[in-house]
mmCIF file of all heavy atoms in Angstrom:
data_model
loop_
_atom_site.group_PDB
_atom_site.id
_atom_site.type_symbol
_atom_site.label_atom_id
_atom_site.label_comp_id
_atom_site.label_asym_id
_atom_site.label_seq_id
_atom_site.Cartn_x
_atom_site.Cartn_y
_atom_site.Cartn_z
ATOM 1 N N SER K 799 12.751 -4.889 -9.406
ATOM 2 C CA SER K 799 12.747 -3.924 -10.533
ATOM 3 C C SER K 799 13.213 -4.707 -11.744
ATOM 4 O O SER K 799 13.776 -5.852 -11.656
ATOM 5 C CB SER K 799 13.608 -2.730 -10.247
ATOM 6 O OG SER K 799 14.970 -3.101 -10.140
ATOM 7 N N ALA K 800 13.057 -4.083 -12.927
ATOM 8 C CA ALA K 800 13.371 -4.756 -14.169
ATOM 9 C C ALA K 800 14.671 -4.195 -14.713
ATOM 10 O O ALA K 800 14.789 -2.946 -14.835
ATOM 11 C CB ALA K 800 12.234 -4.639 -15.151
ATOM 12 N N GLY K 801 15.596 -5.071 -15.096
ATOM 13 C CA GLY K 801 16.765 -4.601 -15.909
ATOM 14 C C GLY K 801 17.648 -3.578 -15.257
ATOM 15 O O GLY K 801 18.214 -2.781 -15.961
ATOM 16 N N GLY K 802 17.734 -3.620 -13.945
ATOM 17 C CA GLY K 802 18.600 -2.649 -13.210
ATOM 18 C C GLY K 802 18.008 -1.249 -13.133
ATOM 19 O O GLY K 802 18.801 -0.321 -12.822
ATOM 20 N N SER K 803 16.780 -1.041 -13.443
ATOM 21 C CA SER K 803 16.155 0.301 -13.492
ATOM 22 C C SER K 803 15.923 0.885 -12.080
ATOM 23 O O SER K 803 15.796 2.114 -11.982
ATOM 24 C CB SER K 803 14.845 0.252 -14.200
ATOM 25 O OG SER K 803 13.855 -0.526 -13.474
ATOM 26 N N GLU K 804 15.993 0.108 -11.051
ATOM 27 C CA GLU K 804 15.695 0.491 -9.708
ATOM 28 C C GLU K 804 14.250 1.058 -9.542
ATOM 29 O O GLU K 804 13.981 1.734 -8.511
ATOM 30 C CB GLU K 804 16.752 1.467 -9.107
ATOM 31 C CG GLU K 804 18.180 0.865 -9.195
ATOM 32 C CD GLU K 804 19.186 1.798 -8.567
ATOM 33 O OE1 GLU K 804 18.847 2.684 -7.777
ATOM 34 O OE2 GLU K 804 20.348 1.647 -8.938
ATOM 35 N N ALA K 805 13.465 0.856 -10.527
ATOM 36 C CA ALA K 805 12.017 1.274 -10.428
ATOM 37 C C ALA K 805 11.250 0.124 -9.707
ATOM 38 O O ALA K 805 10.428 -0.545 -10.286
ATOM 39 C CB ALA K 805 11.413 1.522 -11.801
ATOM 40 N N ASP K 806 11.616 -0.059 -8.385
ATOM 41 C CA ASP K 806 11.100 -1.224 -7.677
ATOM 42 C C ASP K 806 9.571 -1.160 -7.548
ATOM 43 O O ASP K 806 9.010 -0.190 -7.272
ATOM 44 C CB ASP K 806 11.750 -1.184 -6.269
ATOM 45 C CG ASP K 806 13.164 -1.610 -6.280
ATOM 46 O OD1 ASP K 806 13.526 -2.627 -6.871
ATOM 47 O OD2 ASP K 806 14.049 -0.851 -5.649
ATOM 48 N N GLN K 807 9.011 -2.381 -7.720
ATOM 49 C CA GLN K 807 7.611 -2.640 -7.485
ATOM 50 C C GLN K 807 7.529 -3.561 -6.292
ATOM 51 O O GLN K 807 8.459 -4.288 -5.995
ATOM 52 C CB GLN K 807 6.965 -3.253 -8.675
ATOM 53 C CG GLN K 807 6.989 -2.403 -9.965
ATOM 54 C CD GLN K 807 6.396 -0.973 -9.774
ATOM 55 O OE1 GLN K 807 5.299 -0.857 -9.324
ATOM 56 N NE2 GLN K 807 7.249 0.034 -10.030
ATOM 57 N N ILE K 808 6.380 -3.626 -5.578
ATOM 58 C CA ILE K 808 6.192 -4.421 -4.424
ATOM 59 C C ILE K 808 5.168 -5.476 -4.815
ATOM 60 O O ILE K 808 4.077 -5.191 -5.365
ATOM 61 C CB ILE K 808 5.748 -3.576 -3.217
ATOM 62 C CG1 ILE K 808 6.796 -2.563 -2.844
ATOM 63 C CG2 ILE K 808 5.479 -4.486 -1.982
ATOM 64 C CD1 ILE K 808 6.440 -1.593 -1.761
ATOM 65 N N TYR K 809 5.480 -6.708 -4.439
ATOM 66 C CA TYR K 809 4.672 -7.855 -4.740
ATOM 67 C C TYR K 809 4.369 -8.677 -3.483
ATOM 68 O O TYR K 809 5.110 -8.603 -2.508
ATOM 69 C CB TYR K 809 5.430 -8.842 -5.707
ATOM 70 C CG TYR K 809 5.827 -8.241 -7.053
ATOM 71 C CD1 TYR K 809 6.949 -7.454 -7.146
ATOM 72 C CD2 TYR K 809 5.032 -8.438 -8.135
ATOM 73 C CE1 TYR K 809 7.370 -6.891 -8.378
ATOM 74 C CE2 TYR K 809 5.392 -7.873 -9.360
ATOM 75 C CZ TYR K 809 6.561 -7.104 -9.489
ATOM 76 O OH TYR K 809 6.946 -6.549 -10.698
ATOM 77 N N ARG K 810 3.222 -9.360 -3.495
ATOM 78 C CA ARG K 810 2.937 -10.306 -2.453
ATOM 79 C C ARG K 810 3.089 -11.727 -2.970
ATOM 80 O O ARG K 810 2.691 -12.069 -4.072
ATOM 81 C CB ARG K 810 1.449 -10.191 -2.032
ATOM 82 C CG ARG K 810 1.095 -11.092 -0.843
ATOM 83 C CD ARG K 810 -0.445 -11.076 -0.594
ATOM 84 N NE ARG K 810 -1.144 -11.787 -1.726
ATOM 85 C CZ ARG K 810 -2.157 -11.275 -2.420
ATOM 86 N NH1 ARG K 810 -2.546 -9.983 -2.199
ATOM 87 N NH2 ARG K 810 -2.726 -11.883 -3.374
ATOM 88 N N LEU K 811 3.844 -12.552 -2.187
ATOM 89 C CA LEU K 811 4.027 -13.955 -2.509
ATOM 90 C C LEU K 811 3.307 -14.793 -1.469
ATOM 91 O O LEU K 811 3.669 -14.809 -0.307
ATOM 92 C CB LEU K 811 5.532 -14.251 -2.512
ATOM 93 C CG LEU K 811 5.893 -15.816 -2.620
ATOM 94 C CD1 LEU K 811 5.419 -16.368 -3.945
ATOM 95 C CD2 LEU K 811 7.397 -15.971 -2.469
ATOM 96 N N ASP K 812 2.230 -15.504 -1.891
ATOM 97 C CA ASP K 812 1.472 -16.388 -1.008
ATOM 98 C C ASP K 812 2.285 -17.714 -0.860
ATOM 99 O O ASP K 812 2.516 -18.376 -1.865
ATOM 100 C CB ASP K 812 0.080 -16.647 -1.563
ATOM 101 C CG ASP K 812 -0.748 -15.438 -1.557
ATOM 102 O OD1 ASP K 812 -0.836 -14.742 -0.487
ATOM 103 O OD2 ASP K 812 -1.309 -15.098 -2.645
ATOM 104 N N LEU K 813 2.664 -18.045 0.321
ATOM 105 C CA LEU K 813 3.667 -19.129 0.466
ATOM 106 C C LEU K 813 2.988 -20.523 0.293
ATOM 107 O O LEU K 813 3.729 -21.431 -0.094
ATOM 108 C CB LEU K 813 4.292 -19.089 1.894
ATOM 109 C CG LEU K 813 5.125 -17.782 2.103
ATOM 110 C CD1 LEU K 813 5.523 -17.686 3.565
ATOM 111 C CD2 LEU K 813 6.331 -17.861 1.236
ATOM 112 N N ASP K 814 1.722 -20.652 0.455
ATOM 113 C CA ASP K 814 1.052 -21.958 0.189
ATOM 114 C C ASP K 814 0.935 -22.204 -1.321
ATOM 115 O O ASP K 814 1.319 -23.268 -1.839
ATOM 116 C CB ASP K 814 -0.250 -21.992 0.818
ATOM 117 C CG ASP K 814 -0.137 -22.099 2.373
ATOM 118 O OD1 ASP K 814 0.901 -22.578 2.834
ATOM 119 O OD2 ASP K 814 -1.090 -21.707 3.118
ATOM 120 N N SER K 815 0.441 -21.224 -2.042
ATOM 121 C CA SER K 815 0.093 -21.400 -3.462
ATOM 122 C C SER K 815 1.255 -20.992 -4.372
ATOM 123 O O SER K 815 1.326 -21.325 -5.565
ATOM 124 C CB SER K 815 -1.141 -20.624 -3.868
ATOM 125 O OG SER K 815 -0.860 -19.270 -3.763
ATOM 126 N N ARG K 816 2.238 -20.170 -3.787
ATOM 127 C CA ARG K 816 3.344 -19.556 -4.516
ATOM 128 C C ARG K 816 2.805 -18.594 -5.667
ATOM 129 O O ARG K 816 3.576 -18.272 -6.572
ATOM 130 C CB ARG K 816 4.227 -20.682 -5.189
ATOM 131 C CG ARG K 816 4.868 -21.592 -4.141
ATOM 132 C CD ARG K 816 5.830 -20.821 -3.227
ATOM 133 N NE ARG K 816 6.269 -21.695 -2.086
ATOM 134 C CZ ARG K 816 7.379 -22.366 -2.138
ATOM 135 N NH1 ARG K 816 8.086 -22.369 -3.237
ATOM 136 N NH2 ARG K 816 7.733 -23.087 -1.139
ATOM 137 N N GLN K 817 1.617 -18.109 -5.487
ATOM 138 C CA GLN K 817 1.164 -17.158 -6.381
ATOM 139 C C GLN K 817 1.699 -15.755 -6.029
ATOM 140 O O GLN K 817 1.869 -15.394 -4.890
ATOM 141 C CB GLN K 817 -0.405 -17.116 -6.337
ATOM 142 C CG GLN K 817 -1.090 -18.359 -6.867
ATOM 143 C CD GLN K 817 -0.816 -18.563 -8.344
ATOM 144 O OE1 GLN K 817 -1.081 -17.697 -9.146
ATOM 145 N NE2 GLN K 817 -0.318 -19.773 -8.636
ATOM 146 N N VAL K 818 1.981 -14.977 -7.112
ATOM 147 C CA VAL K 818 2.562 -13.656 -6.893
ATOM 148 C C VAL K 818 1.547 -12.611 -7.379
ATOM 149 O O VAL K 818 1.021 -12.728 -8.475
ATOM 150 C CB VAL K 818 3.890 -13.491 -7.683
ATOM 151 C CG1 VAL K 818 4.408 -12.080 -7.622
ATOM 152 C CG2 VAL K 818 4.935 -14.481 -7.121
ATOM 153 N N ALA K 819 1.384 -11.515 -6.608
ATOM 154 C CA ALA K 819 0.475 -10.469 -6.978
ATOM 155 C C ALA K 819 1.231 -9.093 -6.871
ATOM 156 O O ALA K 819 1.890 -8.846 -5.837
ATOM 157 C CB ALA K 819 -0.745 -10.433 -6.058
ATOM 158 N N LEU K 820 1.033 -8.328 -7.915
ATOM 159 C CA LEU K 820 1.609 -6.973 -7.900
ATOM 160 C C LEU K 820 0.736 -6.093 -7.006
ATOM 161 O O LEU K 820 -0.484 -5.992 -7.167
ATOM 162 C CB LEU K 820 1.649 -6.406 -9.303
ATOM 163 C CG LEU K 820 2.130 -4.964 -9.499
ATOM 164 C CD1 LEU K 820 3.590 -4.824 -9.078
ATOM 165 C CD2 LEU K 820 1.975 -4.550 -10.946
ATOM 166 N N LEU K 821 1.413 -5.282 -6.142
ATOM 167 C CA LEU K 821 0.660 -4.446 -5.213
ATOM 168 C C LEU K 821 0.764 -2.952 -5.508
ATOM 169 O O LEU K 821 0.062 -2.190 -4.875
ATOM 170 C CB LEU K 821 1.161 -4.708 -3.732
ATOM 171 C CG LEU K 821 1.075 -6.073 -3.207
ATOM 172 C CD1 LEU K 821 1.704 -6.155 -1.845
ATOM 173 C CD2 LEU K 821 -0.298 -6.597 -3.221
ATOM 174 N N THR K 822 1.581 -2.601 -6.423
ATOM 175 C CA THR K 822 1.964 -1.173 -6.624
ATOM 176 C C THR K 822 1.756 -0.733 -8.094
ATOM 177 O O THR K 822 1.586 -1.545 -9.033
ATOM 178 C CB THR K 822 3.363 -0.841 -6.136
ATOM 179 O OG1 THR K 822 4.231 -1.785 -6.777
ATOM 180 C CG2 THR K 822 3.488 -0.971 -4.666
ATOM 181 N N GLU K 823 1.808 0.603 -8.282
ATOM 182 C CA GLU K 823 1.611 1.260 -9.573
ATOM 183 C C GLU K 823 2.940 1.301 -10.274
ATOM 184 O O GLU K 823 3.911 1.934 -9.840
ATOM 185 C CB GLU K 823 1.033 2.664 -9.317
ATOM 186 C CG GLU K 823 1.051 3.537 -10.568
ATOM 187 C CD GLU K 823 0.361 2.928 -11.786
ATOM 188 O OE1 GLU K 823 -0.828 2.494 -11.598
ATOM 189 O OE2 GLU K 823 0.999 2.851 -12.809
ATOM 190 N N PRO K 824 3.021 0.676 -11.449
ATOM 191 C CA PRO K 824 4.338 0.605 -12.148
ATOM 192 C C PRO K 824 4.923 1.904 -12.619
ATOM 193 O O PRO K 824 6.107 2.012 -12.987
ATOM 194 C CB PRO K 824 4.034 -0.306 -13.391
ATOM 195 C CG PRO K 824 2.850 -1.071 -12.984
ATOM 196 C CD PRO K 824 2.043 -0.183 -12.106
ATOM 197 N N SER K 825 4.106 2.968 -12.624
ATOM 198 C CA SER K 825 4.671 4.246 -13.089
ATOM 199 C C SER K 825 5.493 4.954 -11.987
ATOM 200 O O SER K 825 6.040 6.104 -12.222
ATOM 201 C CB SER K 825 3.555 5.201 -13.536
ATOM 202 O OG SER K 825 2.710 5.497 -12.418
ATOM 203 N N GLU K 826 5.549 4.337 -10.828
ATOM 204 C CA GLU K 826 6.330 4.945 -9.685
ATOM 205 C C GLU K 826 7.401 3.923 -9.208
ATOM 206 O O GLU K 826 7.309 2.753 -9.493
ATOM 207 C CB GLU K 826 5.410 5.327 -8.530
ATOM 208 C CG GLU K 826 4.416 6.417 -8.935
ATOM 209 C CD GLU K 826 3.497 6.776 -7.790
ATOM 210 O OE1 GLU K 826 2.926 5.858 -7.140
ATOM 211 O OE2 GLU K 826 3.310 7.932 -7.541
ATOM 212 N N ARG K 827 8.250 4.433 -8.358
ATOM 213 C CA ARG K 827 9.229 3.642 -7.704
ATOM 214 C C ARG K 827 8.783 3.486 -6.240
ATOM 215 O O ARG K 827 8.484 4.444 -5.580
ATOM 216 C CB ARG K 827 10.613 4.295 -7.733
ATOM 217 C CG ARG K 827 11.742 3.620 -6.997
ATOM 218 C CD ARG K 827 12.994 4.525 -7.102
ATOM 219 N NE ARG K 827 14.159 3.792 -6.555
ATOM 220 C CZ ARG K 827 14.650 3.842 -5.311
ATOM 221 N NH1 ARG K 827 13.972 4.586 -4.441
ATOM 222 N NH2 ARG K 827 15.707 3.233 -4.944
ATOM 223 N N HIS K 828 8.832 2.256 -5.697
ATOM 224 C CA HIS K 828 8.275 2.041 -4.377
ATOM 225 C C HIS K 828 9.280 1.288 -3.475
ATOM 226 O O HIS K 828 10.176 0.633 -3.903
ATOM 227 C CB HIS K 828 7.014 1.076 -4.494
ATOM 228 C CG HIS K 828 6.032 1.546 -5.491
ATOM 229 N ND1 HIS K 828 5.047 2.503 -5.132
ATOM 230 C CD2 HIS K 828 5.849 1.326 -6.775
ATOM 231 C CE1 HIS K 828 4.315 2.727 -6.265
ATOM 232 N NE2 HIS K 828 4.803 2.021 -7.256
ATOM 233 N N GLU K 829 9.062 1.463 -2.140
ATOM 234 C CA GLU K 829 9.928 0.843 -1.156
ATOM 235 C C GLU K 829 9.096 0.335 0.054
ATOM 236 O O GLU K 829 8.226 1.066 0.507
ATOM 237 C CB GLU K 829 10.949 1.864 -0.689
ATOM 238 C CG GLU K 829 12.070 1.215 0.177
ATOM 239 C CD GLU K 829 13.225 2.131 0.371
ATOM 240 O OE1 GLU K 829 13.232 3.255 -0.228
ATOM 241 O OE2 GLU K 829 14.116 1.818 1.201
ATOM 242 N N ILE K 830 9.395 -0.851 0.507
ATOM 243 C CA ILE K 830 8.827 -1.318 1.768
ATOM 244 C C ILE K 830 9.372 -0.563 2.920
ATOM 245 O O ILE K 830 10.579 -0.480 3.090
ATOM 246 C CB ILE K 830 9.071 -2.884 1.917
ATOM 247 C CG1 ILE K 830 8.447 -3.645 0.726
ATOM 248 C CG2 ILE K 830 8.616 -3.340 3.267
ATOM 249 C CD1 ILE K 830 8.989 -5.086 0.679
ATOM 250 N N GLU K 831 8.485 -0.002 3.719
ATOM 251 C CA GLU K 831 8.956 0.861 4.872
ATOM 252 C C GLU K 831 8.764 0.166 6.235
ATOM 253 O O GLU K 831 9.386 0.577 7.182
ATOM 254 C CB GLU K 831 8.206 2.210 4.859
ATOM 255 C CG GLU K 831 8.569 3.050 3.640
ATOM 256 C CD GLU K 831 9.957 3.649 3.704
ATOM 257 O OE1 GLU K 831 10.680 3.489 4.709
ATOM 258 O OE2 GLU K 831 10.429 4.295 2.722
ATOM 259 N N GLY K 832 7.817 -0.736 6.366
ATOM 260 C CA GLY K 832 7.655 -1.434 7.604
ATOM 261 C C GLY K 832 6.178 -1.712 7.936
ATOM 262 O O GLY K 832 5.291 -1.170 7.247
ATOM 263 N N TRP K 833 5.938 -2.559 8.883
ATOM 264 C CA TRP K 833 4.602 -2.980 9.314
ATOM 265 C C TRP K 833 4.146 -2.283 10.523
ATOM 266 O O TRP K 833 4.903 -1.808 11.413
ATOM 267 C CB TRP K 833 4.565 -4.455 9.584
ATOM 268 C CG TRP K 833 5.017 -5.301 8.510
ATOM 269 C CD1 TRP K 833 6.321 -5.730 8.204
ATOM 270 C CD2 TRP K 833 4.188 -5.947 7.456
ATOM 271 N NE1 TRP K 833 6.314 -6.582 7.124
ATOM 272 C CE2 TRP K 833 5.063 -6.691 6.607
ATOM 273 C CE3 TRP K 833 2.795 -5.904 7.214
ATOM 274 C CZ2 TRP K 833 4.537 -7.393 5.508
ATOM 275 C CZ3 TRP K 833 2.343 -6.617 6.113
ATOM 276 C CH2 TRP K 833 3.179 -7.362 5.263
ATOM 277 N N LEU K 834 2.830 -2.140 10.684
ATOM 278 C CA LEU K 834 2.219 -1.752 11.971
ATOM 279 C C LEU K 834 2.408 -2.883 12.946
ATOM 280 O O LEU K 834 2.583 -4.028 12.561
ATOM 281 C CB LEU K 834 0.743 -1.367 11.834
ATOM 282 C CG LEU K 834 0.426 -0.215 10.905
ATOM 283 C CD1 LEU K 834 -1.056 0.196 11.101
ATOM 284 C CD2 LEU K 834 1.310 0.979 11.079
ATOM 285 N N HIS K 835 2.254 -2.595 14.248
ATOM 286 C CA HIS K 835 2.469 -3.644 15.251
ATOM 287 C C HIS K 835 1.167 -4.431 15.615
ATOM 288 O O HIS K 835 1.270 -5.645 15.908
ATOM 289 C CB HIS K 835 2.959 -2.996 16.577
ATOM 290 C CG HIS K 835 4.267 -2.297 16.481
ATOM 291 N ND1 HIS K 835 5.413 -3.034 16.318
ATOM 292 C CD2 HIS K 835 4.596 -1.001 16.505
ATOM 293 C CE1 HIS K 835 6.425 -2.143 16.222
ATOM 294 N NE2 HIS K 835 5.939 -0.943 16.317
ATOM 295 N N LEU K 836 0.079 -3.824 15.487
ATOM 296 C CA LEU K 836 -1.247 -4.470 15.909
ATOM 297 C C LEU K 836 -2.013 -5.039 14.774
ATOM 298 O O LEU K 836 -3.131 -5.554 15.035
ATOM 299 C CB LEU K 836 -2.011 -3.440 16.683
ATOM 300 C CG LEU K 836 -1.296 -2.804 17.863
ATOM 301 C CD1 LEU K 836 -2.210 -1.748 18.560
ATOM 302 C CD2 LEU K 836 -0.831 -3.834 18.909
ATOM 303 N N SER K 837 -1.557 -4.981 13.619
ATOM 304 C CA SER K 837 -2.275 -5.488 12.433
ATOM 305 C C SER K 837 -1.263 -5.827 11.270
ATOM 306 O O SER K 837 -0.099 -5.483 11.474
ATOM 307 C CB SER K 837 -3.372 -4.559 11.915
ATOM 308 O OG SER K 837 -2.705 -3.396 11.309
ATOM 309 N N SER K 838 -1.749 -6.423 10.260
ATOM 310 C CA SER K 838 -0.866 -6.721 9.109
ATOM 311 C C SER K 838 -0.964 -5.694 8.025
ATOM 312 O O SER K 838 -1.152 -6.029 6.825
ATOM 313 C CB SER K 838 -1.223 -8.169 8.589
ATOM 314 O OG SER K 838 -0.966 -9.151 9.504
ATOM 315 N N GLN K 839 -0.871 -4.441 8.424
ATOM 316 C CA GLN K 839 -0.888 -3.374 7.486
ATOM 317 C C GLN K 839 0.527 -2.859 7.235
ATOM 318 O O GLN K 839 1.316 -2.795 8.150
ATOM 319 C CB GLN K 839 -1.757 -2.202 7.982
ATOM 320 C CG GLN K 839 -3.237 -2.601 8.024
ATOM 321 C CD GLN K 839 -4.122 -1.348 8.350
ATOM 322 O OE1 GLN K 839 -4.453 -0.569 7.457
ATOM 323 N NE2 GLN K 839 -4.414 -1.199 9.670
ATOM 324 N N LEU K 840 0.822 -2.559 5.991
ATOM 325 C CA LEU K 840 2.203 -2.225 5.513
ATOM 326 C C LEU K 840 2.329 -0.777 5.108
ATOM 327 O O LEU K 840 1.434 -0.278 4.441
ATOM 328 C CB LEU K 840 2.514 -3.152 4.365
ATOM 329 C CG LEU K 840 3.861 -2.969 3.707
ATOM 330 C CD1 LEU K 840 4.966 -3.509 4.662
ATOM 331 C CD2 LEU K 840 3.895 -3.783 2.366
ATOM 332 N N LEU K 841 3.404 -0.139 5.567
ATOM 333 C CA LEU K 841 3.693 1.168 5.078
ATOM 334 C C LEU K 841 4.629 1.084 3.916
ATOM 335 O O LEU K 841 5.670 0.338 3.944
ATOM 336 C CB LEU K 841 4.401 1.960 6.198
ATOM 337 C CG LEU K 841 3.544 2.391 7.370
ATOM 338 C CD1 LEU K 841 4.433 2.768 8.586
ATOM 339 C CD2 LEU K 841 2.629 3.503 6.992
ATOM 340 N N ILE K 842 4.318 1.752 2.819
ATOM 341 C CA ILE K 842 5.189 1.823 1.651
ATOM 342 C C ILE K 842 5.330 3.292 1.212
ATOM 343 O O ILE K 842 4.461 4.161 1.465
ATOM 344 C CB ILE K 842 4.667 1.018 0.438
ATOM 345 C CG1 ILE K 842 3.336 1.598 -0.110
ATOM 346 C CG2 ILE K 842 4.433 -0.467 0.863
ATOM 347 C CD1 ILE K 842 2.926 0.995 -1.393
ATOM 348 N N SER K 843 6.523 3.579 0.665
ATOM 349 C CA SER K 843 6.779 4.930 0.126
ATOM 350 C C SER K 843 6.886 4.818 -1.407
ATOM 351 O O SER K 843 7.343 3.799 -1.944
ATOM 352 C CB SER K 843 8.018 5.623 0.701
ATOM 353 O OG SER K 843 9.167 4.815 0.460
ATOM 354 N N SER K 844 6.499 5.942 -2.070
ATOM 355 C CA SER K 844 6.516 5.933 -3.549
ATOM 356 C C SER K 844 6.992 7.240 -4.110
ATOM 357 O O SER K 844 6.774 8.289 -3.577
ATOM 358 C CB SER K 844 5.077 5.681 -4.099
ATOM 359 O OG SER K 844 4.448 4.551 -3.491
ATOM 360 N N LEU K 845 7.782 7.101 -5.236
ATOM 361 C CA LEU K 845 8.309 8.292 -5.877
ATOM 362 C C LEU K 845 7.991 8.242 -7.400
ATOM 363 O O LEU K 845 8.059 7.149 -7.997
ATOM 364 C CB LEU K 845 9.836 8.349 -5.708
ATOM 365 C CG LEU K 845 10.367 8.745 -4.366
ATOM 366 C CD1 LEU K 845 11.794 8.367 -4.166
ATOM 367 C CD2 LEU K 845 10.226 10.312 -4.220
ATOM 368 N N PRO K 846 7.698 9.341 -8.008
ATOM 369 C CA PRO K 846 7.425 9.352 -9.468
ATOM 370 C C PRO K 846 8.670 9.123 -10.243
ATOM 371 O O PRO K 846 9.822 9.520 -9.818
ATOM 372 C CB PRO K 846 6.830 10.738 -9.680
ATOM 373 C CG PRO K 846 7.462 11.535 -8.631
ATOM 374 C CD PRO K 846 7.594 10.738 -7.452
#
């Protein structure tokens, strides 16, 4: 989040290229909730 706002955004960091990509909508607050077991799909929660 920016400046202590706790309006967390979720990003992907590619470890080979070190490129960062924003994954979420900045008008909301987001949290990483966990992965599925059989695929690389991610659960996230969001609040306005």
Side-chain angles (χ1 to χ4, degrees):
S799 65
S803 66
E804 301 183 25
D806 288 309
Q807 302 302 305
I808 300 176
Y809 300 82
R810 183 189 70 235
L811 171 62
D812 295 308
L813 294 172
D814 289 336
S815 67
R816 300 296 172 89
Q817 294 296 306
V818 174
L820 175 65
L821 302 178
T822 50
E823 168 54 52
S825 64
E826 297 179 313
R827 177 185 190 266
H828 308 274
E829 188 169 355
I830 297 168
E831 294 288 353
W833 301 89
L834 300 191
H835 297 290
L836 306 178
S837 68
S838 296
Q839 294 188 83
L840 179 70
L841 289 162
I842 67 170
S843 61
S844 308
L845 283 161

